[in-house]
Amino acid sequence: MSRSAEANESAETTTRRRSRFGDWSSTATHHTPAEDAQAILTGVLLAALGLSILAHLEFLTGGVAGLALIVSYVFGINVGLAFFLINIPFYVLAIGRMGRAFTIKTFIAIALLSLVSYWLPMVFSIAYIDPLAGAVIGGLLIGFALLALFRHRASLGGAGILAIYLQDRFGFRAGLVQLAFDMAILVIALFVVDLSAVIFSLVGALVLNGFLAINHRPDRYIAT
């Protein structure tokens, strides 16, 4: 057998293995499934911790979660149902534009966040935290969480899907897209919740999205 034939056979064997078991070879532009799993788990844990801090202070969160909370206040429907219904267009976008891998990893991240958010109060509690410190720390933790997920082609649904799509398609920075979405939600919240909670929530949103805008750029990180 010639060298070229052997090379072709080896390539075909590698392709079959990758299609059956997934690609476990890590390169400068490619993450292995194990690396994706580590990033998703870390991102979910950081997001749950940040959300628990904000929830303890009764601040709003950004993204679809914050919008779902507002909808539940106004219309009296279940928050989980509101979150699911509002996310439907974003899930369609993920399936149609972002690819199967992105959609699957995003679904896994959302499911894990639900489970961890249920489990965390059993092992972690907050006695006191200053409102300003809580807004900043909570925003940073969620920012780190989203950065980890974005760099491994995943998100926590909602605006995160839109942010990554617009960055990939038009070059808009994901952090700035998230910030615009969150600002719109906080403006709506002015008519629903206490003004001081909105102000501190705004601080958290600025910290979160400013962190993403600086650290998540397609020209600096291109791995998938």
Side-chain angles (χ1 to χ4, degrees):
M1 182 181 295
S2 66
R3 291 184 178 180
S4 60
E6 291 177 354
N8 291 333
E9 182 178 352
S10 177
E12 291 176 0
T13 301
T14 300
T15 300
R16 287 196 299 270
R17 288 176 178 173
R18 287 181 177 179
S19 63
R20 183 178 301 176
F21 302 109
D23 186 356
W24 291 88
S25 300
S26 178
T27 69
T29 58
H30 175 77
H31 295 122
T32 68
E35 290 170 342
D36 284 339
Q38 182 270 340
I40 291 173
L41 181 58
T42 300
V44 165
L45 288 173
L46 289 174
L49 183 57
L51 289 173
S52 69
I53 293 174
L54 298 180
H56 173 77
L57 295 167
E58 298 184 348
F59 295 161
L60 290 171
T61 60
V64 171
L67 184 57
L69 187 59
I70 293 174
V71 170
S72 71
Y73 289 157
V74 175
F75 297 102
I77 67 175
N78 180 269
V79 177
L81 176 60
F83 184 81
F84 174 78
L85 294 176
I86 296 170
N87 255 315
I88 289 176
F90 298 105
Y91 292 149
V92 173
L93 176 64
I95 296 172
R97 298 288 184 176
M98 304 305 295
R100 182 176 62 179
F102 175 88
T103 303
I104 291 173
K105 287 187 283 188
T106 294
F107 284 154
I108 292 173
I110 293 172
L112 283 176
L113 182 61
S114 299
L115 292 174
V116 173
S117 296
Y118 175 80
W119 164 79
L120 196 60
M122 302 178 187
V123 298
F124 175 83
S125 64
I126 302 173
Y128 171 78
I129 185 168
D130 177 80
L132 180 58
V136 172
I137 295 171
L140 278 176
L141 286 170
I142 299 173
F144 269 107
L146 291 176
L147 181 65
L149 293 170
F150 287 175
R151 287 188 167 183
H152 286 257
R153 303 296 297 168
S155 78
L156 290 176
I161 295 174
L162 179 62
I164 293 181
Y165 169 71
L166 291 178
Q167 178 167 285
D168 288 350
R169 184 69 176 80
F170 301 105
F172 299 148
R173 291 195 185 178
L176 296 180
V177 175
Q178 287 259 158
L179 179 60
F181 196 92
D182 290 351
M183 293 303 100
I185 291 174
L186 291 176
V187 169
I188 297 172
L190 287 170
F191 302 96
V192 180
V193 298
D194 182 74
L195 177 60
S196 62
V198 173
I199 293 174
F200 283 117
S201 298
L202 174 61
V203 172
L206 289 172
V207 170
L208 188 164
N209 293 290
F211 176 85
L212 282 179
I214 293 172
N215 290 282
H216 185 60
R217 291 174 50 176
D219 57 331
R220 289 183 177 174
Y221 195 86
I222 58 175
T224 61

